[in-house]
Amino acid sequence: MFKHLKTILAAALCAVGLSACSDAEQTFHQLAFEQPSNLVKELYADQRTDSVVFVSYDPWTATASEEWLVLSPTSGTTPAGVGVRNIVRLNFRTNDTGLSRTATVNVSSYFNGSCRVIQYPYINIIYPYARQQADGTYIFEHRLQASATTMQFVYNAFAAQPSLTSDADWLTFNADDVKTGRNTLTLQVSPNLTEEERTARLTLTSNGISTAVTIFQPSSLPQ
């Protein structure tokens, strides 16, 4: 009887051990984009590079759906059960097509994931705002008040030396203040002493791409 009891206990202990071994061999699987967090990467016409970031607990490969978007690296490995933060560089040309273009970055692993990439046909002018027209093109327009003496111009340019021009002598700025990266310029506005609304055009150029902004101002004379 005791012999049979010992056999039963030994079998029970073996079963617990096998169960524990089975649990220990299980690994955690996950694929999660860290950036862009909304799974949409927005690029601008004067850009040539950017990146997406994701965490994977498994080996992975990445592909782009369009030829204009080149990925580096395109694969990676990770120890089982260890999450690795991966940065995939996006390489592409400036967008001189006049229209937005899109691609998809697809990541294949234990799970699959993807993010959408869109490159706009304009430099990232933050203010004044872009307005999309029915044909898919974009325009930038801004209307000043008649009494305005200054105007804010906010942009983010990727060229080492962007440039800005104005075709009107009543809308001026300090050229030394035009810099790469995100920048806020304060433009000077002379009074409109004519009887008609007037128009000026600002043109921002970065990495060979130019984006124009049309500025309107009514007369400041009493009506």
Side-chain angles (χ1 to χ4, degrees), residues 117-176:
V117 177
I118 178 169
Q119 187 180 25
Y120 296 112
Y122 55 83
I123 300 170
N124 186 12
I125 296 175
I126 301 164
Y127 186 82
Y129 309 113
R131 178 162 59 87
Q132 188 174 19
Q133 303 184 104
D135 61 358
T137 60
Y138 291 82
I139 61 172
F140 290 84
E141 293 181 339
H142 182 64
R143 293 190 176 275
L144 294 169
Q145 293 183 349
S147 59
T149 58
T150 61
M151 171 190 160
Q152 296 295 304
F153 183 69
V154 186
Y155 66 87
N156 187 7
F158 289 87
Q161 294 181 320
S163 65
L164 181 68
T165 61
S166 169
D167 69 354
D169 58 6
W170 57 268
L171 187 64
T172 60
F173 55 91
N174 185 351
D176 292 337

Side-chain angles (χ1 to χ4, degrees), residues 181-195:
R182 184 184 174 102
N183 197 15
T184 299
L185 293 179
T186 300
L187 284 66
Q188 306 302 315
V189 180
S190 301
N192 183 4
L193 301 179
T194 70
E195 296 181 350

Side-chain angles (χ1 to χ4, degrees), residues 44-196:
Y44 293 88
D46 61 326
Q47 271 186 270
R48 293 172 177 164
T49 185
D50 210 308
S51 62
V52 295
V53 182
F54 60 89
V55 175
S56 177
Y57 281 75
D58 301 275
W60 57 270
T61 58
T63 58
S65 64
E66 302 294 332
E67 291 184 355
W68 64 264
L69 187 64
V70 179
L71 310 182
S72 178
T74 57
S75 63
T77 59
T78 178
V82 177
V84 175
R85 186 174 184 265
N86 303 280
I87 300 175
V88 174
R89 183 69 57 183
L90 311 179
N91 301 292
F92 45 91
R93 301 182 306 275
T94 53
N95 184 3
D96 59 0
T97 66
L99 296 171
S100 296
R101 58 184 180 183
T102 60
T104 302
V105 175
N106 297 299
V107 179
S108 297
S109 185
Y110 187 90
F111 297 110
N112 296 326
S114 64
C115 74
R116 183 168 175 258
V117 177
I118 178 169
Q119 187 180 25
Y120 296 112
Y122 55 83
I123 300 170
N124 186 12
I125 296 175
I126 301 164
Y127 186 82
Y129 309 113
R131 178 162 59 87
Q132 188 174 19
Q133 303 184 104
D135 61 358
T137 60
Y138 291 82
I139 61 172
F140 290 84
E141 293 181 339
H142 182 64
R143 293 190 176 275
L144 294 169
Q145 293 183 349
S147 59
T149 58
T150 61
M151 171 190 160
Q152 296 295 304
F153 183 69
V154 186
Y155 66 87
N156 187 7
F158 289 87
Q161 294 181 320
S163 65
L164 181 68
T165 61
S166 169
D167 69 354
D169 58 6
W170 57 268
L171 187 64
T172 60
F173 55 91
N174 185 351
D176 292 337
D177 293 335
V178 181
K179 302 175 182 178
T180 189
R182 184 184 174 102
N183 197 15
T184 299
L185 293 179
T186 300
L187 284 66
Q188 306 302 315
V189 180
S190 301
N192 183 4
L193 301 179
T194 70
E195 296 181 350
E196 304 293 334

